[in-house]
Amino acid sequence: MFEAIAFYLFAFLTISMFYIAVTTQQALYALSAIAAGMLFISAFFFILGADFLGAVQIIVYSGAVMALYAFGMMFFDTTREVKEKHGNSMIVLGLSVLVAFLVVVIFAVPLVSGNITALYPIVEGAGNTQEVGMVLFTKYLVPFEVAAIMLLVAMVAGIVLAGKKMDLSLTLMNEAQIRDMRDEENKKVLS
Amino acid sequence: MEIGLNHYLALSAILFSIGLVGVMRRKNLLLLFLATEILLNSVNIAFAAISHYYGDLTGQMFAFFVIAIAASEVAVGLGLLIVWHKRHGNIDLDTMSTMRG
C-alpha cells in the first residue's frame, strides 16, 4: 500500500520535473528541475531495495554532475532565452513514442521468454551494500578497474580542455581585450 | 494495489521518451547534455527494477557502470563545450556546421 503511494507520488514528481527540464526556456530552471528529478529517482532505488545505488545516485548525480553543469553554466550566457528548433512536432512525438516502445520491447522480450535464472543471486542475511561489494569485487572486478581508468582519462581530458588560458579572467577584461584575444586565437586556428 | 515490474518499465519508457523529445528539440548544447542525462537515468530505473524483481544483482552493477560513464561523459563534454565557447562565443547546435559538405 505504502509502496504504491510512494511509487505514484515519485513517478508523478519525476515525470513533471523532467517535463519542465525539456520544455523550459530558461537554462537555470532546466538545471534545477534536473537536479530535483535526480533526487526523486534515487527514491525509486530506495523503494527497490538498492540502497547503495540510491546513495550513489544522490552523491554522483545530484552532487557531482549537477555541480559540473552549474560550473559549466557559469561560462555560458544563460540569462538570455534559449532558442528552440521548430521542426515538425508530430514527427518528434511519433519518433519518441516509437523508440520508447522499442525500448520496452527490448526489456520485455527476455522477461516473456521466462527462462531467466539469477546469475548472482541475492545473499540472505547481508545488506545491500555488502552484496554489491561481494559481486563488484569478484565477478565485476575487471570492468570496475576499467571504469576507474576511464574516469581518470576523463579527468585528465577535462583539465586539459577546460584548463587552457585559465590564468586569464574574462570577467576582468573589457570587451576590446576579449575581442583582440579571440581574433588572435582565430588567426592561430586558421593559419 | 501491488506495484509490479511493468509499472517500473512503463515509468522508464515514459522518462525515456521525455528525454528523447528533449534531445530532438533542444538547440543549446548544454541543455542537450541535460536531456541525455534523463535518458541514462530512465535506463537506470529499468535496470534496478529488473534487478529487484529477479533477485539478481547484475542490473545494479550495470547501473553503476552507467553512472560512471555518465560522469566521464559530462566531464569531457563540458570541457569540449567550454573550448568551443571560447573560440566562437556561442553553443548553438545549428552554428556547428563547419564540416558540412
Side-chain angles (χ1 to χ4, degrees):
Chain A
M1 182 59 199
F2 288 115
E3 192 193 350
I5 293 170
F7 176 81
Y8 284 115
L9 175 69
F10 283 112
F12 172 73
L13 283 172
T14 314
I15 289 170
S16 48
M17 281 302 147
F18 284 166
Y19 181 76
I20 290 170
V22 299
T23 52
T24 181
Q25 299 291 309
Q26 301 279 340
L28 203 57
Y29 291 171
L31 186 77
S32 319
I34 288 272
M38 301 290 182
L39 275 178
F40 294 142
I41 279 183
S42 75
F44 290 117
F45 294 151
F46 288 126
I47 294 172
L48 287 168
D51 300 346
F52 190 67
L53 191 56
V56 165
Q57 169 88 11
I58 292 177
I59 293 170
V60 172
Y61 264 121
S62 308
V65 171
M66 283 305 126
L68 259 181
Y69 273 116
F71 176 72
M73 212 161 262
M74 290 174 201
F75 276 88
F76 311 128
D77 185 15
T78 52
T79 49
R80 79 176 166 190
E81 288 215 331
V82 180
K83 279 180 289 181
E84 294 291 343
K85 240 180 248 175
H86 288 293
N88 192 339
S89 60
M90 288 306 287
I91 291 178
V92 170
L93 193 67
L95 277 177
S96 310
V97 171
L98 186 72
V99 176
F101 177 73
L102 278 179
V103 169
V104 174
V105 168
I106 288 167
F107 275 116
V109 163
L111 304 185
V112 170
S113 66
N115 50 3
I116 290 182
T117 50
L119 262 67
Y120 308 116
I122 288 169
V123 187
E124 290 299 323
N128 177 258
T129 312
Q130 205 177 344
E131 291 166 6
V132 165
M134 277 191 247
V135 178
L136 194 61
F137 289 111
T138 53
K139 300 290 180 186
Y140 287 97
L141 185 60
V142 174
F144 179 72
E145 298 294 340
V146 171
I149 291 173
M150 187 186 66
L151 283 169
L152 179 68
V153 169
M155 187 185 79
V156 172
I159 292 170
V160 167
L161 286 172
K164 269 186 212 162
K165 297 267 171 94
M166 274 290 192
D167 50 334
L168 299 176
S169 171
L170 287 174
T171 50
L172 294 178
M173 299 157 75
N174 59 28
E175 291 293 320
Q177 280 174 317
I178 292 174
R179 211 176 303 125
D180 288 348
M181 192 186 75
R182 194 169 285 156
D183 290 345
E184 207 173 300
E185 273 189 15
N186 282 344
K187 242 179 268 166
K188 241 182 260 168
V189 171
L190 290 173
S191 61
Chain B
M1 197 172 143
E2 197 65 32
I3 298 294
L5 179 56
N6 291 332
H7 288 77
Y8 284 99
L9 289 183
L11 175 75
S12 170
I14 291 168
L15 292 181
F16 197 86
S17 38
I18 288 175
L20 270 179
V21 170
V23 167
M24 285 189 243
R25 277 185 76 237
R26 287 300 191 195
K27 217 166 158 186
N28 188 321
L29 259 186
L30 194 70
L31 297 180
L32 203 119
F33 277 168
L34 282 177
T36 60
E37 298 296 324
I38 299 177
L39 298 182
L40 292 169
N41 264 291
S42 71
V43 174
N44 270 355
I45 290 179
F47 276 142
I50 292 175
S51 158
H52 178 250
Y53 283 100
Y54 280 86
D56 190 338
L57 282 172
T58 310
Q60 290 184 31
M61 295 301 120
F62 273 86
F64 286 128
F65 293 129
V66 167
I67 288 177
I69 286 168
S72 41
E73 172 245 329
V74 168
V76 177
L78 274 178
L80 287 171
L81 219 56
I82 288 168
V83 171
W84 182 271
H85 189 263
K86 276 181 184 167
R87 289 253 160 95
H88 299 269
N90 65 355
I91 47 171
D92 279 356
L93 198 57
D94 289 355
T95 58
M96 298 182 188
S97 55
T98 49
M99 286 182 76
R100 177 178 283 171

